[in-house]
Amino acid sequence: MDLAGRRPGRAGGRVSNGPMTYVSTRGHAPAIGLGAALVAGLAPDGGLYVPASLPRFDVADFDGCDSLPAIASRLLRPFFAGDALADELDAICAEALDLPAPLRAIAQDTGLLELFHGPTAAFKDFAARFLAACFARLRPRDVDAVRTVLVATSGDTGAAVAAAFHRRPGFRVVILYPDGRVSPRQAHQLGAFGDNVRALRVAGSFDDCQALVKRALADDALKARVALTSANSISLGRLLPQMAYYALTALQHRRAGGAPPLFIVPTGNLGNAFAAILARACGLPIGAVVLATNANRTLPDFFAGADYAPRASVATLANAMDVGAPSNFERLRWLCPDDADLRRAVTAEAVDDATIRTTLRAYAERGLVVCPHTATALHVLDRRRAAGDHGDAVVVATAHPAKFDTIIEPLLGHPVDTPPALAALLARPAEAEPIRADYADLCAALLAHPEPAPAA
Ligand SMILES: *Cc1c(COP(=O)(O)O)cnc(C)c1O
């Protein structure tokens, strides 16, 4: 189902070139430009920023665009219209999105979209690099204060943000992660950057880390002393670029003569899957979007007909999806305010740990080793195929299996190859400072160290 045009006020017809503004999902904040929305993160009424109108593309609008950066520039141009960053869009896409996003055929009519070929081996690299490229251009050159990018991570975001800002003049990164609840290699990666990146291991859950970050970002007294900004998964600067790889895949499929494929997306905070849904709403030839979750059932329960009920997260093998209150659900409701329509447009299915294990093993026996997150989507594919759905399908592979060696290797009985960028990080020493899940501890950590001097 095509959601575009359902909302009043949407730019209809062809792509318009008027300036784009951004409004809050909650509707009680002034409309602002792209740059301001990127820096703000969250709207002042507590909502998430969304575009005031959606451009509408035809497949022909992308004629001549073949690479991911070229498609991203074309797709994002209306979203940058009227902003100071618009002139830099081509350069931002060329710098940030020059990463492979291959579609690997794994069965007849089925492709695996591998989004883990970036520096930290998870799909978050695309968006983190894009956000960093925007931030670097937004930073006033005449201010020497160092900006602190504060980020809570369930495992993969922190490393992607760290890699994107590592040694970038004018920025430092402070990562909060739940101690003992990320994979050992994820933890090592988070602590291995050094220089302008600090990792804090928090005695608590991801939800605790996220609450600490939110409180700091709303604390004016703290912000008077430390120039804080964020890069969390509700950032507009992460949502927008994620549309690009869905557009690339959908256009390649169309150019090869295929019908709009079904996309199955491993889902936690709903940022990645929402980008697919938004790209579809902009006219890209994307078929049904299915959310695959782990045992955190908030979304599957809603799509099965229950009231939306966020809850505490439970720990699973697919730890980067251990989310009980998916932040981007608010954007989905904005795009499609009627629950019945929404349930027709999107579906969600939960996959428990036992099934993740059997799926990992079954695919490995056929020569396809994936990460536990990707396994949830492969299992949803298997269910659909067993139910007689044989349409074209794309399964999104969100991380490289080598990040989860302690889960996968015992199941397989042999080691998993490690990509060179990940191996290089794992070879470095790692250091993380312990803190309690306590706001005073976070403030002390932020204020204790002098901020690094801005590089010349
Ligand atoms: C972050 C992450 C997800 C979930 O993505 P959302 O945008 O939060 O839904 C899935 N898989 C991996 C490997 C991740 O790192």
Side-chain angles (χ1 to χ4, degrees), residues 121-124 154-157 186 233 238 242 265-274 292 299 318-323 326 328 371-374 396-400 403-404:
F123 79 89
K124 309 249 179 22
S154 61
D156 289 323
T157 293
Q186 283 175 322
S233 90
R238 289 185 50 189
Q242 289 177 170
V265 188
T267 294
N269 235 341
L270 196 43
N272 197 12
F274 183 72
L299 292 167
N319 63 282
M321 297 169 16
D322 290 348
V323 180
N328 285 291
C371 84
H373 310 78
T374 306
V396 178
T398 47
H400 193 286
K403 288 187 107 166
F404 306 92

Side-chain angles (χ1 to χ4, degrees), residues 71-444:
I71 287 173
S73 297
R74 184 71 198 89
L75 176 66
L76 298 181
R77 198 175 301 154
F79 293 95
F80 276 59
D83 192 83
L85 280 177
D87 291 343
E88 305 267 5
L89 177 60
D90 291 349
I92 291 167
C93 292
E95 169 189 325
L97 300 180
D98 186 19
L99 296 176
L103 186 67
R104 167 172 170 189
I106 56 167
Q108 195 171 5
D109 305 324
T110 310
L112 187 73
L113 177 58
E114 295 183 349
L115 299 179
F116 52 69
H117 295 286
T120 70
F123 79 89
K124 309 249 179 22
D125 281 323
F126 290 92
R129 286 159 59 93
F130 188 90
L131 187 69
C134 290
F135 273 9
R137 289 165 174 85
L138 283 168
R139 190 175 169 273
R141 301 262 167 257
D142 50 336
V143 175
D144 351 294
V146 169
R147 282 251 164 90
T148 298
V149 182
L150 187 61
V151 59
T153 184
S154 61
D156 289 323
T157 293
V161 170
F165 284 95
H166 187 215
R167 298 186 180 148
R168 219 178 244 281
F171 293 93
R172 71 166 178 170
V173 176
V174 177
I175 304 163
L176 278 68
Y177 71 90
D179 200 5
R181 302 197 201 186
V182 303
S183 85
R185 283 187 166 178
Q186 283 175 322
H188 190 101
Q189 213 182 11
L190 293 168
F193 287 91
D195 303 313
N196 63 336
V197 177
R198 283 168 69 197
L200 305 179
R201 51 188 174 90
V202 178
S205 67
F206 170 65
D207 294 322
D208 293 329
C209 296
Q210 203 162 23
L212 288 172
V213 168
K214 276 195 181 149
R215 183 158 168 196
L217 290 169
D219 182 343
D220 290 331
L222 178 67
K223 287 193 291 182
R225 301 177 67 189
V226 184
L228 283 184
T229 185
S230 187
N232 52 24
S233 90
I234 54 172
S235 166
L236 193 61
R238 289 185 50 189
L239 171 64
L240 295 176
Q242 289 177 170
M243 287 196 286
Y245 42 73
Y246 292 108
L248 171 76
T249 307
L251 290 165
Q252 283 172 343
H253 195 76
R254 167 60 61 89
R255 287 168 186 168
L262 164 87
F263 281 79
I264 308 175
V265 188
T267 294
N269 235 341
L270 196 43
N272 197 12
F274 183 72
I277 295 162
L278 196 62
R280 179 174 68 181
C282 293
L284 272 300
I286 291 169
V289 176
V290 181
L291 317 177
T293 73
N294 57 26
N296 289 279
R297 301 193 50 97
T298 306
L299 292 167
D301 286 352
F302 168 80
F303 284 101
D307 285 343
Y308 179 71
R311 57 201 80 160
S313 61
V314 297
T316 75
L317 293 174
N319 63 282
M321 297 169 16
D322 290 348
V323 180
S327 317
N328 285 291
F329 186 73
E330 204 167 318
R331 286 194 167 115
L332 203 51
R333 271 247 165 93
W334 157 83
L335 187 66
C336 192
D338 182 82
D339 282 357
D341 283 346
L342 186 50
R343 291 189 179 110
R344 277 190 291 273
V346 180
T347 54
E349 295 184 35
V351 179
D352 62 21
D353 274 0
T355 310
I356 290 175
R357 282 202 185 84
T358 51
T359 307
L360 284 171
R361 223 187 265 119
Y363 274 88
E365 278 165 10
R366 290 151 52 182
L368 183 63
V369 179
V370 297
C371 84
H373 310 78
T374 306
T376 65
L378 284 173
H379 179 69
V380 169
L381 172 80
D382 292 344
R383 279 186 201 156
R384 298 210 147 220
R385 294 306 192 213
D389 174 351
H390 293 292
D392 293 357
V394 174
V395 172
V396 178
T398 47
H400 193 286
K403 288 187 107 166
F404 306 92
D405 58 321
T406 54
I407 294 170
I408 292 168
E409 290 180 356
L411 287 173
L412 269 52
H414 61 78
V416 182
D417 288 341
T418 307
L422 179 59
L425 272 175
L426 295 175
R428 293 167 60 105
E431 194 187 321
E433 303 155 49
I435 68 165
R436 293 172 302 162
D438 184 296
Y439 189 58
D441 276 26
L442 174 61
C443 292

